[in-house]
Amino acid sequence: MQTLPSPHSAEATSSPSFQIDDWRSGYRSQPEEYAYWIDDIEGEIPTALEGTLFRNGPGLLDIGGHPIRHPFDGDGMISSIAFKDGKAYYRNRFVRTEGYVAEQEAGKPLYRGVFGTQKIGGLWANMFDLRLKNIANTHIIYWGHKLLALWEAAEPHRLDPETLETIGLDYLDGLLQPGDAFAAHPKIDPGNPDQGQEPRLVNFSIKTGLSSTITIHEFDISGNCVKSYHRSVPGFAFMHDFVVTPNYVVFFQNPVSFNPFPFVLGMKGAGECIQLNPKAATKIIVIPRNGETPVQFIDAPAGFVFHHANAFEQAGKVFVDSIVYQGFPTLDEGTTYQDVDFSKVPEGQLWRFTLDLDTEAVDDASCLISRCCEFPTLHPQQVGQPYRYLYIGAAHRPSGNAPLQALLKKDFETGEEHVWSEAPRGFMGEPIFVPRPDGTVEDDGWVLCLTYNAARQCSDLIILDAKNIQNGPIARLKLKHHVPYGLHGSFTSTYFGPTAA
Ligand code: CO
């Protein structure tokens, strides 16, 4: 099987757009929990922006002074920023998972992390300890009147949307059993109001081993599960994300193998036992949402995908836009994430795969954004639909791997790219597109992004006009502290801040 050709014409030769110590300083533990009105603001918060931004990510990079091996092993900490009448209220709290509470009390790691964090005591303390610590650190969604912190290998934690206090594990009204997985990348199918279709939250869970079972759940706007169906797929499956269209859910089964022995023997985390096989094909798994028609498997060029941007059906084909890495990023023996040499790690690039379901083949695979990019977002009404605009975190320079420092807006109709960069001392998190309530066109809205400002050693929430991102933020809300680099978040139009300033 061929591999995807590199779209680079030349390697980056210019000096880096950042200092490595600046980048590292965004990975400091934030043990404090805050709640305050944001009063240090450049520009103005649009008064039409009303609702709450929730965001999840590792809040601690150490446990009692013992560094964790990878940020993906860090305890989930939720930030919320509630907007109303041109004002904004910030709050953060750790998810009180069983592991977080026990380890904070003990002052040391009591669990092994999936990405290599080990208990104190070396091999003998870690061998055959296969317990997972549900760290609730990947995503957070508000759906069906529930705020849920997600981590893909275990049950969601339910939180109070106003105080962010942890209510407990949530079994989705009996849908999940203790220990069941629930993925961290739910998609909201906006439905088609003209056909009387309401929005649905669609998510999956996976059980994997020598073969794998994917279970898909669909929830109505009240949070009731209205449909569950499962399909078996051959082989080990590492799948973090998926896409939804009106008729299909689509997964990419990365060509990876899993050797459990170093994990079982206590030498490595489970996530460190995954290897990409560049000679094998990526299997694209197309599952009809009617729950009846058979699954289709389509071979695609090898590559590694964590995240998809979107998918849509058009002219009898299915188009899937995904961020593809030419290799699976791993850490060398004896090094930590802080030592990463960006030039030696493959960057993510946005590719569009055209699937012909009649011939069960990939008709075309084209690179649409060659600049290093991650964390895509788009207008929520375009999810699963043909769309014109994508917003995505990107590197400052057009080629080569580097931390995300910029926001890129792609216009698929004209091919144009507009970029706003926070370099040299700013670092970009996941952007979130929020539509203007009375907006009429696809880019009528704002892009919200929590950034890290190494000059202040603090984080900023920036708000950009989605029509003119190249002009920079229309408001910069300066937090009083830093929030470590995080993962995913979401916006709800419900305001969960205090009643009065
Ligand atoms: Co993710």
Side-chain angles (χ1 to χ4, degrees):
M1 195 71 200
Q2 74 189 94
T3 52
L4 296 166
S6 171
H8 285 158
S9 53
E11 286 301 308
T13 49
S14 41
S15 58
S17 60
F18 66 100
Q19 299 294 322
I20 193 77
D21 286 340
D22 275 354
W23 174 76
R24 284 180 184 146
S25 68
Y27 275 130
R28 285 171 291 129
S29 289
Q30 176 52 274
E32 301 300 323
E33 296 182 322
Y34 297 90
Y36 59 92
W37 288 101
I38 301 170
D39 56 10
D40 191 355
I41 299 171
E42 277 173 17
E44 285 189 13
I45 302 171
T47 50
L49 175 61
E50 182 169 326
T52 308
L53 176 72
F54 292 107
R55 188 265 207 180
N56 200 348
L60 293 180
L61 286 308
D62 73 281
I63 299 164
H66 303 283
I68 58 174
R69 181 157 158 81
H70 196 286
F72 290 174
D73 283 341
D75 290 297
M77 184 185 86
I78 311 301
S79 292
S80 72
I81 301 176
F83 300 93
K84 195 177 188 177
D85 302 329
K87 297 192 177 79
Y89 191 85
Y90 177 86
R91 189 187 285 281
N92 73 307
R93 277 185 90 88
F94 281 89
V95 185
R96 264 54 177 184
T97 65
E98 192 185 336
Y100 171 83
V101 172
E103 289 182 331
Q104 289 306 302
E105 208 166 298
K108 63 178 184 181
L110 301 175
Y111 292 80
R112 302 174 63 197
V114 170
F115 291 90
T117 301
Q118 300 281 37
K119 295 189 291 184
I120 313 294
L123 206 55
W124 294 108
N126 291 284
M127 196 184 281
F128 304 123
D129 184 351
L130 309 184
R131 290 176 306 153
L132 285 178
K133 175 184 170 193
N134 181 347
I135 48 178
N137 73 355
T138 311
H139 200 347
I140 178 144
I141 50 155
Y142 183 71
W143 185 261
H145 308 290
K146 283 182 180 176
L147 182 65
L148 299 173
L150 305 177
W151 184 66
E152 66 195 23
E155 313 92 324
H157 283 80
R158 186 177 177 187
L159 312 176
D160 181 315
E162 285 179 17
T163 64
L164 300 181
E165 279 165 30
T166 304
I167 296 167
L169 289 174
D170 194 277
Y171 293 96
L172 305 172
D173 302 318
L175 188 68
L176 303 181
Q177 301 298 313
D180 274 357
F182 191 67
H185 273 284
K187 293 285 179 294
I188 298 173
D189 172 358
N192 185 340
D194 294 341
Q195 295 172 18
Q197 294 164 348
E198 291 198 322
R200 274 197 189 170
L201 184 94
V202 184
N203 200 12
F204 70 101
S205 64
I206 193 158
K207 282 199 170 94
T208 191
L210 294 174
S211 73
S212 306
T213 302
I214 303 171
T215 304
I216 294 124
H217 304 295
E218 302 198 6
F219 302 86
D220 67 13
I221 49 173
S222 304
N224 302 310
C225 183
V226 290
K227 203 196 257 188
S228 279
Y229 42 103
H230 58 86
R231 292 289 177 267
S232 294
V233 300
F236 172 78
F238 178 88
M239 295 177 208
H240 174 69
D241 192 11
F242 75 119
V243 276
V244 64
T245 70
N247 292 300
Y248 304 100
V249 287
V250 182
F251 295 83
F252 278 34
Q253 187 176 11
N254 293 304
V256 293
S257 56
F258 179 69
N259 170 9
F261 296 109
F263 170 59
V264 174
L265 295 176
M267 300 185 298
K268 286 184 173 183
E272 295 176 295
C273 300
I274 291 173
Q275 273 194 321
L276 183 78
N277 179 0
K279 294 204 173 83
T282 295
K283 292 269 181 221
I284 300 178
I285 302 168
V286 183
I287 302 178
R289 286 174 70 188
N290 63 18
E292 294 163 11
T293 320
V295 180
Q296 290 184 288
F297 296 93
I298 298 174
D299 280 358
F304 192 88
V305 172
F306 281 113
H307 296 129
H308 301 282
N310 198 20
F312 56 93
E313 301 168 29
Q314 200 170 48
K317 307 270 168 84
V318 175
F319 297 80
V320 183
D321 294 350
S322 311
I323 296 138
V324 179
Y325 294 80
Q326 303 292 337
F328 181 67
T330 48
L331 289 173
D332 291 339
E333 207 78 39
T335 64
T336 79
Y337 66 93
Q338 298 267 15
D339 304 320
V340 65
D341 179 348
F342 282 90
S343 68
K344 293 194 173 135
V345 182
E347 70 267 37
Q349 295 167 319
L350 187 85
W351 286 73
R352 175 164 291 177
F353 298 87
T354 308
L355 315 184
D356 185 327
L357 300 188
D358 293 331
T359 60
E360 299 195 327
V362 173
D363 274 2
D364 184 54
S366 303
C367 184
L368 298 187
I369 301 177
S370 61
R371 184 186 295 242
C372 165
C373 58
E374 249 303 354
F375 293 140
T377 184
L378 64 147
H379 193 298
Q381 283 297 325
Q382 307 307 127
V383 172
Q385 301 291 331
Y387 68 122
R388 178 169 176 181
Y389 299 112
L390 185 76
Y391 314 86
I392 191 164
H396 177 73
R397 297 202 190 288
S399 66
N401 190 22
L404 305 180
Q405 294 189 282
L407 173 69
L408 186 151
K409 176 188 182 185
K410 181 80 183 184
D411 181 338
F412 293 121
E413 201 169 294
T414 64
E416 277 178 299
E417 290 181 359
H418 295 288
V419 175
W420 167 258
S421 176
E422 295 272 295
R425 304 204 73 185
F427 297 88
M428 196 68 73
E430 179 192 59
I432 309 254
F433 178 86
V434 178
R436 186 187 298 273
D438 56 356
T440 51
V441 292
E442 197 185 312
D443 61 350
D444 205 348
W446 307 281
V447 180
L448 275 48
C449 188
L450 196 57
T451 66
Y452 173 67
N453 181 333
R456 289 202 310 122
Q457 302 267 302
C458 286
S459 297
D460 295 342
L461 188 284
I462 58 173
I463 302 171
L464 296 99
D465 176 355
K467 283 182 185 290
N468 298 295
I469 69 151
Q470 66 278 11
N471 293 351
I474 54 171
R476 179 181 296 273
L477 287 59
K478 298 180 176 179
L479 303 188
K480 300 176 190 296
H481 49 82
H482 82 287
V483 178
Y485 300 125
L487 293 166
H488 303 295
S490 57
F491 185 87
T492 171
S493 56
T494 310
Y495 171 78
F496 283 115
T499 45

